Amino acid sequence: MSKERLYLFDTTLRDGAQTQGVQFSADEKHQIAAVLDDLGLDYIEGGWPGANPTDTTFFAAPPKTRATFTAFGMTKRAGRSAENDDVLAAVMNAGTSAVCLVGKAHDFHVTDALGITLEENVENLSASFAHIKAQGREGLFDAEHFFDGYKANPDYALQCIHATYDTGARWIVLCDTNGGTLPHEIAEIVTAVIASGIPGENVAIHTHNDTENAVAGSLAAVLAGARQIQGTLNGLGERCGNANLTTLIPTLLLKEPFASRFETGVSRDALKGLRKASRMLDDILNRVPAKQAPYVGASAFAHKSGLHASAIAKNPATYEHVDPATVGNSRIVPMSNQAGQSNLRARLAEAGMSVEQGHPALPRIVARIKEREAQGYSYDTAQASFELLAREELGILPEFFEVKRYRVTVERRKNKRNQMVSLSEAVVVTKVNGKKVLNVSESLGEDGSDQGPVNALSRALAKDLGPYQAIIDDMRLVDFKVRITNGGTEAVTRVIIDSEDGQGRRWSTVGVSANIVDASFGALVDAINWKLIRDRAEA
């Protein structure tokens, strides 16, 4: 039996750009568009030409994509013809083969937000899509607030979408703009839309995540007959975000009944790049990836319980719904004070240390982990530091360098503009191959601002490690988390540092001390040692 085609429409560059704190440059839009195209998306919506300088620049030199590159705008305004509306003209002049126009499908928004009659709104819709069709373009009607509009006045909501379908719109995009419609309601209303005479092959779904149901609502729409899904990478979007394509895509390819009923433009090979695409977007936005994100998160296939890890070692299907490798992810068996020896041996094996059952170091490792976690350490979230601890107990931890001493100073002073500024400076003395090296580094960023004492320490420590320098040059600190583990005068600080290298590997290390700088330095030293071990440096 042949599969039905399901189309994927990405709006990361337009709707995703409405996320609070997100601002894409034109160059970043090109980067993201290339990754989306490599995944196999059918449509990539680039933005609103003429709405802002970035989108205008982006559409002036659009990316060359296999996917249908789409411009977004709004329907013509009342009192103007489609040919003479300058806002619509800016969208049409972008020259894209597909044009998505937003228009009202809720009577309340027509009368109260637009301030026009219901009849005028229908005329605006009809004329706009007749104009698109006359220009030989593919038209998509973004029926804003459709589900709320249908619930309030179904006859008028249907009149609006039929007006655009009858005048040439290829896709009728049913939007749950406020994100409040539940999956069972979406299924019922999509069914009613198709029964009204608009074929499912022309129906698209666009959901928002305000009730944490955007993915479920999209899947419900597909089962009811819609054949295009709109969403964003990592669920970016206004307020709580849009339907997350990072979750939807693997669900469609790997889960029933979707996997056997539908085909998309995303191949199984391309699916293996999903986690990398997700991380790329987070890197561009300088955001910490969501660890518990389905499929692509660092914790998506993490098994902390000793009971779970024991079962996983026998058969991963016991606690994993898909193979992590299918989406470019990997299994993690974290270490914590809940760990048993089965958990420990599985984790050691993943780190490349095959230790036989009954090895005398195993109980020592477990005991040491429990002792140190009682002191404030957390090996659950710091896998690299755990590996170093285990290697030490197993007697296979190489000594690449020794830190003889370090010092950090923070100075607060006025600059030449009479502004109070701070400057951190670090001195680190290391011993490598019998030779002492003193390194000094400041913490000024590219913008001239102070990036803090930990940044100064990191730079000084990694400034000159002799024969190991080439290995660590591609390292960078990507996240820094501080927690006070107990209060009062005996407060202990735990620092977790996330590092990344040029190969895209990310690892976490932990440091604990009453002094936040000392805790940070311990985590920094661990990060470098882990990198040297993984890149097979010779001690």
Side-chain angles (χ1 to χ4, degrees), residues 275 279 289-304 329-332 334 380-381:
R275 184 174 185 268
R279 286 296 179 89
K291 287 190 174 182
Q292 291 181 308
Y295 295 103
V296 298
S299 298
F301 301 96
H303 308 281
K304 181 175 178 179
N329 210 338
S330 56
R331 181 177 305 114
I332 294 176
D380 178 16
T381 54

Side-chain angles (χ1 to χ4, degrees), residues 505-518:
R505 294 182 304 195
R506 183 173 293 211
W507 62 100
S508 298
T509 51
V510 61
V512 170
S513 173
N515 184 306
I516 186 173
V517 174
D518 193 48

Side-chain angles (χ1 to χ4, degrees), residues 42 47 71 83 121 144 245 288 303 340-341 356 424:
D42 297 291
E83 293 77 10
N121 181 58
E144 193 178 32
L245 289 177
V288 179
H303 308 281
Q341 287 199 20
E356 69 275 10
S424 301

Side-chain angles (χ1 to χ4, degrees), residues 50 72 121 171 224 253 274 277 291 297 307 361-362 366 402 446 465-466:
F72 179 87
N121 181 58
W171 290 103
L253 268 67
L274 188 66
K291 287 190 174 182
L307 177 64
L362 293 176
V366 173
E402 179 186 0
E446 293 180 1
L465 281 182

Side-chain angles (χ1 to χ4, degrees), residues 12 46 52 55 58 70 100 134 174 177 194 206 253 286 306 318 336 380 410-411 452 462 464 477 509:
T12 302
N52 57 70
D55 282 356
F58 183 52
T70 307
C100 183
L174 308 181
T177 309
I194 294 172
H206 179 115
L253 268 67
N286 196 27
T318 52
S336 73
D380 178 16
V410 179
E411 181 182 6
D464 182 8
L477 189 154
T509 51

Side-chain angles (χ1 to χ4, degrees), residues 321-395:
H321 66 110
V322 298
D323 180 352
T326 59
V327 292
N329 210 338
S330 56
R331 181 177 305 114
I332 294 176
V333 182
M335 291 309 303
S336 73
N337 60 13
Q338 296 183 32
Q341 287 199 20
S342 293
N343 210 352
L344 175 58
R345 291 181 62 238
R347 184 66 189 93
L348 292 174
E350 287 189 0
M353 294 175 276
S354 179
V355 181
E356 69 275 10
Q357 191 170 359
H359 193 289
L362 293 176
R364 295 201 307 269
I365 294 172
V366 173
R368 191 170 172 195
I369 287 170
K370 292 181 178 181
E371 176 188 351
R372 299 198 79 184
E373 290 208 340
Q375 297 169 5
Y377 285 83
S378 174
Y379 294 104
D380 178 16
T381 54
Q383 299 302 306
S385 288
F386 153 71
E387 290 182 25
L388 297 177
L389 180 152
R391 285 179 174 275
E392 185 178 0
E393 289 295 334
L394 288 165

Side-chain angles (χ1 to χ4, degrees), residues 128-167:
S128 298
F129 284 93
H131 180 57
I132 290 175
K133 184 176 182 180
Q135 296 287 322
R137 313 283 185 86
E138 179 180 358
L140 297 92
F141 173 41
D142 214 48
E144 193 178 32
H145 300 286
F146 176 80
F147 290 96
D148 291 334
Y150 184 92
K151 286 184 276 188
N153 186 342
D155 290 340
Y156 184 71
L158 290 173
Q159 184 183 359
C160 290
I161 62 175
H162 276 276
T164 60
Y165 177 71
D166 293 343
T167 51

Side-chain angles (χ1 to χ4, degrees), residues 58-378:
F58 183 52
F59 279 91
K64 294 185 179 357
T65 60
R66 177 207 54 79
T68 301
F69 189 56
T70 307
F72 179 87
M74 68 179 184
T75 58
K76 83 168 190 71
R77 290 164 289 179
R80 309 180 188 210
S81 67
E83 293 77 10
N84 293 311
D85 188 299
D86 56 334
V87 176
L88 179 56
V91 178
M92 299 298 291
N93 290 341
T96 56
S97 60
V99 178
C100 183
L101 298 183
V102 63
K104 303 295 185 184
H106 187 178
D107 56 1
F108 163 71
H109 283 270
V110 173
T111 57
D112 287 47
L114 294 182
I116 61 176
T117 67
L118 300 183
E119 292 75 18
E120 284 178 308
N121 181 58
V122 172
E123 193 277 327
N124 290 342
L125 299 177
S126 299
S128 298
F129 284 93
H131 180 57
I132 290 175
K133 184 176 182 180
Q135 296 287 322
R137 313 283 185 86
E138 179 180 358
L140 297 92
F141 173 41
D142 214 48
E144 193 178 32
H145 300 286
F146 176 80
F147 290 96
D148 291 334
Y150 184 92
K151 286 184 276 188
N153 186 342
D155 290 340
Y156 184 71
L158 290 173
Q159 184 183 359
C160 290
I161 62 175
H162 276 276
T164 60
Y165 177 71
D166 293 343
T167 51
R170 163 70 178 91
W171 290 103
I172 305 302
V173 185
L174 308 181
C175 300
D176 184 30
T177 309
N178 288 354
T181 308
L182 298 180
H184 72 279
E185 297 176 294
I186 288 176
E188 292 167 2
I189 294 172
V190 170
T191 299
V193 166
I194 294 172
S196 75
I198 296 180
E201 64 187 20
N202 298 98
V203 174
I205 182 68
H206 179 115
T207 58
H208 284 255
N209 206 33
D210 297 73
T211 62
E212 199 72 38
N213 277 290
V215 168
S218 299
L219 296 174
V222 170
L223 292 177
R227 291 298 174 260
Q228 184 195 100
I229 295 179
Q230 297 198 352
T232 59
L233 203 58
N234 290 353
L236 290 185
E238 198 166 21
R239 304 185 312 277
C240 303
N242 288 43
N244 191 343
L245 289 177
T246 316
T247 302
L248 276 165
I249 291 171
T251 298
L252 293 170
L253 268 67
L254 303 174
K255 298 294 184 179
E256 295 298 345
F258 307 100
S260 58
R261 282 186 56 187
F262 303 105
E263 64 177 357
T264 69
V266 181
S267 68
R268 285 296 188 98
D269 282 342
L271 186 63
K272 295 175 184 176
L274 188 66
R275 184 174 185 268
K276 183 178 179 181
S278 172
R279 286 296 179 89
M280 176 276 305
L281 181 61
D282 283 329
D283 285 345
I284 286 175
L285 297 175
N286 196 27
R287 303 199 323 178
V288 179
K291 287 190 174 182
Q292 291 181 308
Y295 295 103
V296 298
S299 298
F301 301 96
H303 308 281
K304 181 175 178 179
S305 163
L307 177 64
H308 290 196
S310 177
I312 282 287
K314 297 171 184 173
N315 188 335
T318 52
Y319 285 98
E320 289 177 353
H321 66 110
V322 298
D323 180 352
T326 59
V327 292
N329 210 338
S330 56
R331 181 177 305 114
I332 294 176
V333 182
M335 291 309 303
S336 73
N337 60 13
Q338 296 183 32
Q341 287 199 20
S342 293
N343 210 352
L344 175 58
R345 291 181 62 238
R347 184 66 189 93
L348 292 174
E350 287 189 0
M353 294 175 276
S354 179
V355 181
E356 69 275 10
Q357 191 170 359
H359 193 289
L362 293 176
R364 295 201 307 269
I365 294 172
V366 173
R368 191 170 172 195
I369 287 170
K370 292 181 178 181
E371 176 188 351
R372 299 198 79 184
E373 290 208 340
Q375 297 169 5
Y377 285 83
S378 174

